[in-house]
Amino acid sequence: MAGAALLIVEDEIIIAELIGDVLDSAGFGPCRHAATVAQALAAAQNDALRGAILDVHVAGELVFPVAEVLQKRGLPFAFSTGSGDGGAIPAHLAAAPCLPKPWSADDLTRLAQNLFKVS
């Protein structure tokens, strides 16, 4: 989808910017950022997206409702988590890749190469 962005759902602005920088540098931009589940849900429901990187815990909420919207739209997404709770991902979403924190730029780029098309 030409002009469609990758959605980065992350409440830590420095991490969100780092993800965006890595993905932009690797040719996967443009990226847009959501810092809350509410912002992410609005984007997932209404915006032209190619996929998403979803932090599991965002500002005290779980990101799973956003993943469900993306799944219904047929958009690829991956979870990112630093709390070792990959097992807490609901069974109906468990097929999505999980990028454990801390990750390297190479880890993120490999994930993007496997999941998203370069725009």
Side-chain angles (χ1 to χ4, degrees):
M1 179 182 300
L6 289 178
L7 178 63
I8 300 166
V9 181
E10 172 62 63
D11 56 350
E12 297 290 336
I13 189 68
I14 293 172
I15 296 173
E17 288 177 356
L18 179 60
I19 293 170
D21 289 347
V22 169
L23 293 175
D24 283 340
S25 293
F28 291 97
C31 296
R32 68 166 299 195
H33 173 241
T36 67
V37 169
Q39 290 173 348
L41 274 172
Q45 292 167 338
N46 302 310
D47 293 356
L49 300 173
R50 291 185 298 117
I53 303 288
L54 309 172
D55 186 14
V56 172
H57 295 275
V58 181
E61 295 183 76
L62 293 171
V63 76
F64 303 133
V66 178
E68 290 167 348
V69 171
L70 295 168
Q71 188 177 57
K72 286 178 186 169
R73 288 184 63 186
L75 296 172
F77 59 90
F79 293 111
S80 178
T81 183
S83 58
D85 61 357
I89 296 172
H92 67 286
L93 300 172
C98 190
L99 183 65
K101 294 177 185 175
W103 43 261
S104 70
D106 287 341
D107 295 335
L108 180 58
T109 300
R110 271 192 300 279
L111 174 84
Q113 290 169 338
N114 289 325
L115 202 55
F116 309 122
K117 294 179 182 175
V118 176
S119 61

